[in-house]
Amino acid sequence: MILVLSQPFDATATLVIDELKRRRLPVVRMDVAWFPAQVTLAARLDRGGWGGRLHLGGRTVDLVEIRAVYYRKPGNHWISDRLSPQERVIAEREARLGFGGLLFSLPVFWLPHPARVADAEYKPAQLAAARRAGLAVPDTLITNKPAEARAFAERHGWNVVYKTFTPVTVTRGGAGYHTYTTPVTPELLEDEAVRYTAHLFQERIDKAYDVRLVCVDDRMFAVEIHSPAGDWRRAYNANRYQVCEVPDEVATGMRAMLAALRLHFCAADFAVDHDGRWWFLDLNPNGQWGWLEQATGVPISSAIADLLVRKHRSLKRRAT
């Protein structure tokens, strides 16, 4: 059995589930948020590890039958509002450590493993790994000192951008606003708020276009993103997409980087300058790719299914 951990309406996970079903592989979709409200668990430890069953409504999953897990973006555990706020915090933590810890301990193939995802989400670690792997990385500064930020910007002729370490949504007047890559101006660095936390400043690449590179084990799928908005995340519908080849030096560097981060999957973003050089910007160890497959037909879901099936069969032979 292949277990897919995702939210019910995650269209990207559905692409993979449909591909697995076409191959007549046993697959079960479950959201972590369903435990404990909709999922019950009974597991016991023996010499071979954990055994037991999950009950998902009318479906029963035997833990020993799970061979591979596709880990997308499941929700958080939903805890009954009959508990007090303090009890809910405790119950959520116990669910995460107990239910999640049980799943993580199973001798199965994870794509990707949550622990590897957590490690790889640290952007400073990504950038260092990319540089060690031989990828081109823009000059970067992390600081909470306004004077250092200003000196960095002046050294690059104010051709510098600011980025958050993780996507941030700010609510104003009842509406949500997403943070994007922001050009740095002298006025921006006059604000002493730089002192309040860590900030990432980076040399701005004069790019011709962006590339999202999706890696599935040793296979790579690259799509050019031409955006009239400059930042393609601002207006998906206005973007133009085109499948492209990955330069040999970039492919070699990405394989080295994935090996160092112990990842079998990632979605990496590059800026390609007017000389055709690919600059590594960041990496999402569980990034989005479904819209690229729908826009260009690039067979990412098939590649993911191939990897899950291959690991599923390998573990099945080992178990027998």
Side-chain angles (χ1 to χ4, degrees):
M1 179 176 294
I2 295 175
L3 179 64
V4 177
L5 295 179
S6 76
Q7 298 180 44
F9 303 107
D10 178 13
T12 300
T14 299
L15 291 172
V16 175
I17 291 171
D18 290 345
E19 182 66 28
L20 292 170
K21 288 181 176 178
R22 278 193 289 270
R23 303 180 189 204
R24 298 185 177 181
L25 266 292
V27 56
V28 172
R29 183 180 201 148
M30 181 181 70
D31 191 352
V32 170
W34 297 348
F35 181 86
Q38 302 174 53
V39 174
T40 59
L41 163 68
R44 296 187 66 178
L45 181 64
D46 58 27
R47 292 183 178 180
W50 288 102
R53 292 178 175 83
L54 301 175
H55 297 280
L56 297 75
R59 186 77 181 267
T60 298
V61 176
D62 194 322
L63 294 176
V64 299
E65 292 181 356
I66 299 173
R67 295 286 183 268
V69 179
Y70 179 43
Y71 181 79
R72 263 292 298 166
K73 294 183 181 291
N76 297 320
H77 296 279
W78 187 89
I79 305 299
S80 173
D81 54 13
R82 294 183 179 181
L83 301 180
S84 70
Q86 182 178 9
E87 290 170 333
R88 293 183 69 182
V89 169
I90 296 171
E92 191 281 332
R93 184 184 62 203
E94 293 298 286
R96 176 170 49 86
L97 296 177
F99 183 74
L102 174 69
L103 293 179
F104 299 163
S105 71
L106 298 178
V108 302
F109 173 72
W110 284 79
L111 183 67
H113 194 288
R116 304 289 82 75
V117 170
D119 291 343
E121 284 181 335
Y122 287 101
K123 190 166 288 188
Q126 294 178 16
L127 296 172
R131 181 66 62 84
R132 288 193 297 268
L135 296 171
V137 179
D139 193 15
T140 304
L141 171 73
I142 297 174
T143 187
N144 70 329
K145 296 180 65 176
E148 289 289 341
R150 178 174 287 274
F152 180 80
E154 290 175 346
R155 187 161 61 249
H156 288 284
W158 293 94
N159 192 32
V160 170
V161 295
Y162 163 72
K163 301 178 180 180
T164 58
F165 291 97
T166 187
V168 175
T169 300
V170 179
T171 302
R172 292 176 182 169
Y177 298 88
H178 299 288
T179 57
Y180 299 101
T181 299
T182 304
V184 173
T185 63
E187 294 75 23
L188 184 68
L189 294 185
E190 289 176 0
D191 190 343
E192 287 294 301
V194 172
R195 297 185 184 277
Y196 298 154
T197 190
H199 293 74
L200 187 148
F201 299 96
Q202 199 166 60
E203 173 190 8
R204 187 184 72 85
I205 302 301
D206 183 17
K207 65 184 179 182
Y209 54 87
D210 294 279
V211 167
R212 171 150 287 199
L213 174 60
V214 178
C215 301
V216 184
D217 215 16
D218 201 42
R219 300 172 67 180
M220 297 186 183
F221 305 91
V223 177
E224 296 178 6
I225 307 177
H226 299 263
S227 173
D231 188 331
W232 56 264
R233 295 169 180 83
R234 292 179 181 268
Y236 281 83
N237 294 335
N239 297 334
R240 180 170 60 85
Y241 303 99
Q242 180 178 327
V243 177
C244 63
E245 296 295 323
V246 182
D248 290 342
E249 65 273 15
V250 173
T252 299
M254 285 302 301
R255 291 188 182 100
M257 184 178 179
L258 290 178
L261 297 175
R262 298 169 62 191
L263 291 174
H264 292 276
F265 173 90
C266 81
D269 290 325
F270 289 82
V272 181
D273 65 23
H274 295 276
D275 294 323
R277 190 179 190 188
W278 288 38
W279 292 85
F280 175 86
L281 301 180
D282 57 25
L283 172 153
N284 189 327
N286 205 356
Q288 299 285 3
W289 51 266
W291 97 100
L292 295 176
E293 179 164 311
Q294 293 169 342
T296 67
V298 63
I300 299 172
S301 60
S302 179
I304 291 175
D306 287 342
L307 179 57
L308 290 169
V309 169
R310 186 166 71 249
K311 295 297 184 179
H312 173 275
R313 289 174 176 169
S314 173
L315 289 168
K316 184 177 180 180
R317 286 195 298 270
R318 191 180 306 170
T320 56

